[in-house]
Amino acid sequence: MAELETDAMIEIKAPVRVRFAPSPTGYLHIGGVRTALFNWLFARHYGGQFILRIEDTDEKRFVEGAADDIMASLRWVGIDWDEGPDVGGPHGPYVQSLRQEQGIYAPYVEQLLAAGHAYLSFTTEDELAQMRAEAEARGVKAFRFRGPERDWPLERQRELAASGRPYTVRLKTPLTGETSFTDLIRGGDRITVQHDQLQDIVLIKSSGMPVYHFAHLVDDHLMGITHVLRSEEWVPSAPYHVLLYQCFGWEAPAFAHVPAILRSDGRGKLSKRKDDVATNRFWERGYLPEAMFNYLALQGWSYDDKTEIMSRDEIVERFTIDRVQASPARWNPDKLRDMNGIYIRRLPVAEVAERMLPFLAKAGLIGDPPSDEDRAYVLQLTPMVHERLEELQQAPELLEFFFRAPQPGAGGYDPALLVPKKTEPSQAHDWLRAVHAALNAVERWDAATLEAALRELGESLGVKPGPLFGTVRVAVSGRTVAPPLFDMLAALGRDEVLARVATAAAALE
RNA sequence: GCCCCCAUAGUCUAGCGGCCUAGGACGUCACCCUUUCAAGGUGAAGAUCGCGGGUUCGAAUCCCGCUGGGGGUACCA
């Protein structure tokens, strides 16, 4: 099934294996989900595998429970993985700290050391910081650290290490020449970096823990990763990775640096300070995972000049790397909202009702868990708010008055709202009395009958439907903006409606 | 500072040398529908395709420079 697909100079060799490798330092922000999604789409489109790997080599920033939270976020939008920490796989474990414990990285460090591609560096963090500060004070344009030990014989490095001096392992980067690589998204042009711009990066910290640059690369190789799709912030460090592959004598995977997502307001990358981007916040607010999936797919990728609403399957079928663009996307909450509304409207009524339940329960409008009567009532109300919903969290606000009678006056609605323009309060009062009588006399309590009755009443009173219905709307809902009046009356029931109309009339006396 | 990447309306994006008097969407505004609000429909405003040079019969599309934006510059990922 693995076909060779050729799109605009881009050849994808199957079978592909890609991965998403988050570090558990907190919740997964929505940009991370987008990067994971692109990897997932790429794998699914080409019939390959998608692997999840937890990169927890930063002991300082590790957050307990973050990995579970990240996995929950991914699952929420519908991203699953073929191999990963929880599901296992032939290349496990899929957590780097565990891999470190098993000694997986050690031989590769030795390999580099033995080949003279890396060395033990005894310069401490503090010393380095001081050197940087001094260099800056002297006006050095760019401080590129290369440890003096890079030229020592390995035995001398090892002797010093054996004496108990703490050390890191650094990559011995070439001093001259250049390294270049191609990026699938940046149109085949090679990205080139001069070696004098590099420095001897740390591969293994003094704690013995590997650093990202080293661990991810060894793991990618061991796990057979064929394509690395990652955020564009990694472009500058890609030369180090290319160099490392060369040092190991391994074939490097193809790189595709996906565009960053920029903040909706102002400048810069998406950040939790300026944007509400914690993934779990979106389900709290009532975003549908299918809408999020669709929106996120469009952050940096497009299908054509007009198609935006696409199903999961359609996106998988259409997703190709040549249609991922190089320029950054910008987070657009309005667009997401709009799209969520579209997805909500496409849902069957019963489904919307079901999805609103938790929000109504949380607001205390129905039981938690909801009773059968609660469910039935919500189902009855749903058509009235269905197309008015852009976020499920709006449901309680929109439906509140169905569960709690609005009260005129302090703490409730302003009785003045009952009085249309160019109308005296006494007139509105009389209308309400007449409405009360008319509704009381209605034989069948359904929307059509109620509408006929009130239209007739309006004619006999010589009042236009607009003002009359407006007054009734406020009396019944406590607000000027509400779902269609007669559906509301029908759902509320005769007793409740009569009571509210009477209360409103009394408020105008 | 240095290095790298990017550049079509307020925003997202189509466009890969002639089909572009630049298409679609969000947002904005108007009208229609209408008991309010939505939804839906119709339409409008909004881009000298960042600027300046080239290449070409012809450039939003290719090249160079500039400017602007973003990213990187950690014993973080």
Side-chain angles (χ1 to χ4, degrees), chain A residues 104-117:
Chain A
I104 288 177
Y105 304 111
Y108 298 101
V109 180
E110 284 308 314
Q111 183 182 337
L112 252 27
L113 250 17
H117 291 129

Side-chain angles (χ1 to χ4, degrees), chain A residues 454-471:
Chain A
L454 287 196
R455 283 195 186 279
E456 196 181 317
L457 176 66
E459 279 180 36
S460 66
L461 289 175
V463 185
K464 288 193 177 279
L468 179 63
F469 295 174
T471 295

Side-chain angles (χ1 to χ4, degrees), chain A residues 426-478:
Chain A
S426 61
Q427 282 179 281
H429 170 264
D430 292 346
W431 296 352
L432 286 170
R433 296 298 299 267
V435 166
H436 190 279
L439 294 181
N440 199 18
V442 162
E443 301 241 336
R444 294 184 52 221
W445 194 264
D446 60 59
T449 309
L450 293 167
E451 177 164 4
L454 287 196
R455 283 195 186 279
E456 196 181 317
L457 176 66
E459 279 180 36
S460 66
L461 289 175
V463 185
K464 288 193 177 279
L468 179 63
F469 295 174
T471 295
V472 178
R473 176 179 302 107
V474 174
V476 161
S477 69

Side-chain angles (χ1 to χ4, degrees), chain A residues 416-424 427 431 467 471:
Chain A
L417 296 176
L418 291 161
V419 186
K421 280 174 186 153
K422 298 178 187 169
T423 305
E424 292 302 314
Q427 282 179 281
W431 296 352
T471 295

Side-chain angles (χ1 to χ4, degrees), chain A residues 34-345:
Chain A
R34 198 285 315 265
T35 300
L37 178 63
F38 278 16
N39 273 281
W40 184 88
L41 287 169
F42 186 79
R44 294 291 172 262
H45 177 82
Y46 292 104
Q49 282 97 45
F50 173 68
I51 291 121
L52 180 69
R53 184 175 69 222
I54 300 298
E55 308 214 322
D56 56 346
T57 52
D58 187 343
E59 309 101 310
K60 296 193 190 92
R61 294 198 307 157
F62 179 80
V63 173
E64 193 68 44
D68 290 334
D69 188 71
I70 288 168
M71 290 194 275
S73 291
L74 294 174
R75 286 213 170 86
W76 176 66
V77 292
I79 294 173
D80 58 354
W81 41 96
D82 304 299
E83 298 168 31
D86 52 344
V87 301
H91 304 282
Y94 292 88
V95 177
Q96 289 185 328
S97 58
L98 262 30
R99 299 174 70 75
Q100 162 71 358
E101 278 175 29
Q102 293 187 3
I104 288 177
Y105 304 111
Y108 298 101
V109 180
E110 284 308 314
Q111 183 182 337
L112 252 27
L113 250 17
H117 291 129
Y119 61 94
L120 306 186
S121 171
F122 299 90
T123 306
T124 67
E125 261 184 293
D126 290 344
E127 288 168 347
L128 198 50
Q130 198 180 334
M131 289 164 75
R132 285 208 174 87
E134 284 170 7
E136 193 178 337
R138 273 186 282 116
V140 172
K141 288 175 184 169
F143 179 78
R144 315 260 178 233
F145 182 74
R146 322 249 186 186
E149 307 89 342
R150 77 197 311 270
D151 298 321
W152 293 5
L154 184 55
E155 301 75 55
R156 188 176 163 198
Q157 296 170 32
R158 290 209 197 277
E159 277 168 29
L160 200 48
S163 76
R165 280 276 296 277
Y167 63 89
T168 60
V169 178
R170 288 181 183 272
L171 177 66
K172 191 169 168 182
T173 53
L175 300 172
T176 58
E178 60 182 37
T179 288
S180 62
F181 62 99
T182 50
D183 184 296
L184 262 25
I185 290 168
R186 272 143 254 273
D189 269 359
R190 294 186 78 78
I191 295 172
T192 302
V193 174
Q194 301 300 316
H195 288 159
D196 59 14
Q197 296 300 324
L198 305 179
Q199 53 183 336
D200 290 353
I201 54 166
V202 169
L203 263 21
I204 305 293
K205 307 179 199 180
S206 54
S207 66
M209 190 65 99
V211 144
Y212 168 85
H213 300 295
F214 183 75
H216 97 274
L217 191 137
V218 170
D219 287 343
D220 281 351
H221 177 254
L222 260 22
M223 294 180 181
I225 300 304
T226 58
H227 298 263
V228 170
L229 274 65
R230 72 222 309 189
S231 172
E232 69 173 327
E233 70 205 58
W234 292 105
V235 171
S237 56
Y240 290 112
H241 306 153
V242 172
L243 243 22
L244 265 172
Y245 279 109
Q246 288 168 3
C247 292
F248 278 122
W250 297 338
E251 186 187 351
F255 294 105
H257 291 93
V258 303
I261 300 178
L262 268 27
R263 287 202 315 238
S264 57
D265 59 338
R267 317 277 181 204
K269 274 198 307 184
L270 214 48
S271 71
K272 69 175 176 182
R273 280 185 50 191
K274 298 290 289 183
D275 289 276
D276 200 359
V277 289
T279 306
N280 53 23
R281 282 284 298 135
F282 290 98
W283 73 67
E284 285 170 12
R285 286 157 62 190
Y287 280 84
L288 307 188
E290 44 276 61
M292 184 58 85
F293 184 99
N294 194 157
Y295 176 76
L296 248 22
L298 261 15
Q299 290 283 294
W301 173 81
S302 64
Y303 174 58
D304 62 13
D305 60 338
K306 46 196 63 159
T307 312
E308 289 195 332
I309 303 299
M310 290 173 273
S311 70
R312 192 173 299 261
D313 288 347
E314 286 170 331
I315 294 172
V316 166
E317 187 191 328
R318 296 168 179 177
F319 186 87
T320 54
I321 205 78
D322 60 290
R323 294 205 62 85
V324 174
Q325 58 176 173
S327 57
R330 191 172 297 272
W331 187 244
N332 188 342
D334 286 342
K335 179 94 174 181
L336 208 211
R337 249 180 100 83
D338 176 71
M339 197 171 271
N340 200 49
I342 290 172
Y343 273 85
I344 289 175
R345 271 174 255 129

